[in-house]
């Protein structure tokens, strides 16, 4: 029998048959009750009904769960094939893409250059610019964020992640969270109203902590349910979307790996309509708290993000094979230092960003060679047309376009 949305079956079945179908879903071997309660929402306001969130581990959902796990294994295998020196810069590239997408979802202006500068400041005792530093620090160490053990942990993530970016009028005005009313509007109608008081916010977040610790629920489903419930609670006036996606990312990074986790917002940003529709449909009174289709949509988004990484890695690893063939050719037999530096520069160009600019200091750190050797080698590579000098202070270089084409087509 095809698993259909309860909101559709409501109009197809009589009341007795509808109730029977609802109970069958909740009581079946594949049914999971969460003990998380929500209020119904219709036409811009809450209804008088409350529902317990539940889902059914359908065939489609199980397939997606397996797909995500297989994708994660493939990503780990592909990452293991990268040259050591590109692993961190490659992850940083994903961080910047993710942060940019997270900001775009929330309507926050940021450039990749701005985010790269903030990422460069992570770890420095006195950063030049604090904007986005918390966001970039959280992404850099996403797999080191611990499990959420109490409600104060949600405020801690908010303080570390977005507090510096929030307007003063939107700062939390309760002991930990907001104390006033908040609602979400899509420009035309109200699509959600957050939990009504700080006391109820704390009670709901405590229930969420308990649910996150409930290992009878499969991990991927549990993390996505938690993501919805956090957004439903909406504990802050602003910053809920960014913190909510980081919460699910932190759990995904420990269960899968950090590369899958870091693409969640990027995947959401490419299909925002699907994401928001999946969130909004859950509270419909006719849906009765069924999260099955929401989970399907979330795992589809996660899998799509993973496939994007896999494709990027596979293409770039094929390019790396061409680079290796070029580098080990006889022409470099008497030019070991030149060969090594060209390999570093070309590989960074392929895996990190087109036309990457590397300073002498960058090249020293990549190669562990002295400044004297770097200067001598780079003069040779400039003379032979492999790289070009783009800045004298600091001395910086980028690969020539013709050189890349020659290497990859050789």
């Amino acid at each position: 029998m095809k698993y259909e949305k309860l909101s559709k079956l409501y109009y197809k079945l009589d009341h007795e048959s509808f109730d029977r179908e609802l109970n069958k879903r909740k009581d079946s071997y594949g049914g999971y009750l969460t003990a998380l309660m929500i209020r119904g929402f219709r036409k811009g306001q809450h209804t008088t009904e409350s529902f317990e969130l539940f889902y059914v581990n359908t065939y489609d959902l199980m397939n997606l769960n397996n797909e995500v796990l297989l994708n994660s294994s493939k990503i780990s295998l592909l990452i293991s094939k990268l040259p050591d020196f590109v692993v961190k810069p490659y992850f940083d590239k994903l961080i910047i893409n993710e942060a940019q997408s997270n900001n775009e979802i929330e309507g926050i202006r940021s450039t990749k250059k701005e985010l790269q500068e903030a990422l460069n400041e992570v770890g420095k005792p006195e950063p030049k610019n604090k904007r986005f530093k918390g966001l970039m620090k959280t992404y850099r160490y996403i797999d080191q964020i611990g499990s959420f053990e109490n409600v104060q942990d949600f405020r801690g993530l908010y303080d570390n992640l977005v507090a510096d970016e929030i307007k003063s009028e939107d700062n939390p005005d309760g002991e930990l969270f907001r104390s006033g009313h908040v609602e979400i509007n899509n420009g035309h109608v109200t699509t959600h109203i957050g939990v009504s008081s700080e006391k109820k916010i704390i009670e709901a977040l405590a229930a969420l902590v308990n649910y996150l610790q409930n290992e009878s629920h499969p991990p991927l489903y549990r993390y996505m349910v938690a993501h919805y419930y956090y957004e439903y609670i909406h504990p802050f006036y602003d910053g809920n979307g960014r913190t909510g996606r980081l919460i699910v990312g932190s759990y995904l990074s420990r269960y899968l790996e950090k590369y899958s986790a870091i693409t969640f917002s990027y995947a959401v940003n490419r299909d925002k309509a699907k994401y928001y529709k999946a969130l909004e449909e859950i509270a419909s009174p006719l849906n009765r708290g069924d999260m099955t289709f929401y989970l399907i949509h979330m795992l589809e988004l996660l899998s799509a993000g993973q496939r994007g990484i896999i494709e990027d890695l596979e293409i770039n690893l094929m390019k790396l094979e061409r680079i290796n063939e070029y580098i080990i050719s006889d022409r470099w037999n008497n030019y070991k230092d030149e060969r090594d530096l060209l390999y570093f520069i070309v590989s960074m160009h392929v895996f990190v960003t087109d036309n990457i600019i590397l300073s002498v200091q960058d090249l020293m750190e990549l190669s562990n060679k002295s400044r004297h050797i770097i200067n001598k080698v780079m003069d040779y590579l400039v003379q032979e047309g492999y790289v070009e000098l783009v800045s004298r202070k600091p001395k910086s270089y980028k690969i020539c376009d013709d050189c890349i084409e020659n290497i990859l087509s050789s």
Side-chain angles (χ1 to χ4, degrees), residues 50-323:
S50 293
F51 307 103
E52 179 181 7
L53 296 174
F54 75 94
Y55 59 90
V56 179
N57 195 14
T58 63
Y59 179 81
D60 288 341
L61 193 50
M62 283 190 290
N63 277 348
L64 277 166
N65 185 75
N66 291 337
E67 184 179 300
V68 167
L69 294 175
L70 288 171
N71 286 344
S72 180
S73 295
K74 192 164 190 177
I75 288 170
S76 295
L77 178 62
L78 292 169
I79 291 292
S80 72
K81 296 179 179 180
L82 297 184
D84 289 343
F85 65 89
V86 302
V87 173
K88 180 178 174 293
Y90 183 76
F91 184 60
D92 286 352
K93 177 183 79 169
L94 297 182
I95 289 176
I96 291 167
N97 288 342
E98 174 78 354
Q100 180 80 336
S101 292
N102 212 339
N103 286 340
E104 286 175 2
I105 293 168
E106 300 299 321
I108 298 166
R109 284 182 58 85
S110 61
T111 65
K112 290 192 174 181
K113 181 182 176 184
E114 200 175 8
L115 295 171
Q116 179 67 66
E117 289 172 352
L119 188 57
N120 293 341
E121 293 294 307
V122 171
K124 293 183 180 179
E126 295 182 8
K128 296 175 184 176
N129 185 358
K130 288 188 176 181
R131 190 166 191 238
F132 300 127
K133 188 197 168 188
L135 180 68
M136 305 313 287
K137 182 181 178 182
T138 306
Y139 277 124
R140 169 69 65 76
Y141 303 111
I142 191 168
D143 55 341
Q144 297 177 31
I145 298 173
S147 300
F148 287 72
E149 305 290 342
N150 53 62
V151 297
Q152 288 82 0
D153 289 341
F154 296 102
R155 177 58 190 266
L157 180 68
Y158 172 90
D159 288 340
N160 291 329
L161 179 64
V162 298
D164 290 340
E165 310 297 323
I166 302 298
K167 295 177 182 177
S168 57
E169 61 265 30
D170 289 331
N171 287 334
D173 51 3
E175 186 177 341
L176 290 171
F177 308 105
R178 63 175 169 82
S179 62
H181 177 83
V182 68
E183 60 183 60
I184 309 301
N185 191 293
N186 65 6
H188 304 286
V189 296
T190 298
T191 58
H192 177 64
I193 297 175
V195 170
S196 60
S197 68
E198 185 176 38
K199 180 183 176 183
K200 290 184 177 180
I201 288 171
I202 291 172
E203 289 172 354
L205 287 174
L208 178 55
V209 169
N210 288 336
Y211 177 71
L212 279 167
Q213 296 169 349
N214 185 350
E215 295 184 358
S216 67
H217 287 249
L220 284 179
Y221 305 163
R222 197 186 335 150
Y223 306 150
M224 293 304 181
V225 169
H227 174 65
Y228 168 77
Y229 200 59
Y230 179 85
E231 299 300 333
Y232 168 81
I233 298 165
H234 225 73
F236 304 102
Y237 292 112
D238 191 15
N240 298 283
R242 282 167 284 170
T243 51
R245 284 185 289 277
L246 256 296
I247 290 169
V248 72
S250 70
Y251 279 91
L252 290 173
S253 69
R254 294 193 302 277
Y255 180 62
L256 302 173
E257 25 61 42
K258 61 185 181 181
Y259 301 90
S260 291
I262 213 71
T263 64
F264 185 59
S265 294
Y266 189 65
V268 165
N269 196 34
R270 288 191 296 179
D271 203 346
K272 283 189 281 191
K274 182 176 187 176
Y275 172 72
Y276 284 119
K277 185 179 180 183
L279 288 174
E280 292 165 11
E281 283 183 340
I282 294 173
S284 165
L286 302 185
N287 186 55
R288 296 297 197 271
D290 188 352
M291 301 191 78
T292 308
F293 285 97
Y294 160 81
L295 290 176
I296 288 172
H297 293 326
M298 292 301 104
L299 294 194
E300 284 174 343
L301 287 171
L302 178 57
S303 182
Q306 289 177 312
R307 291 195 302 273
I309 294 178
I310 289 169
E311 182 181 3
D312 185 52
L313 286 169
E314 286 178 335
I315 290 171
N316 290 338
L317 282 167
M318 285 189 281
K319 291 179 180 179
L320 185 64
E321 287 182 18
R322 298 276 183 93
I323 296 168

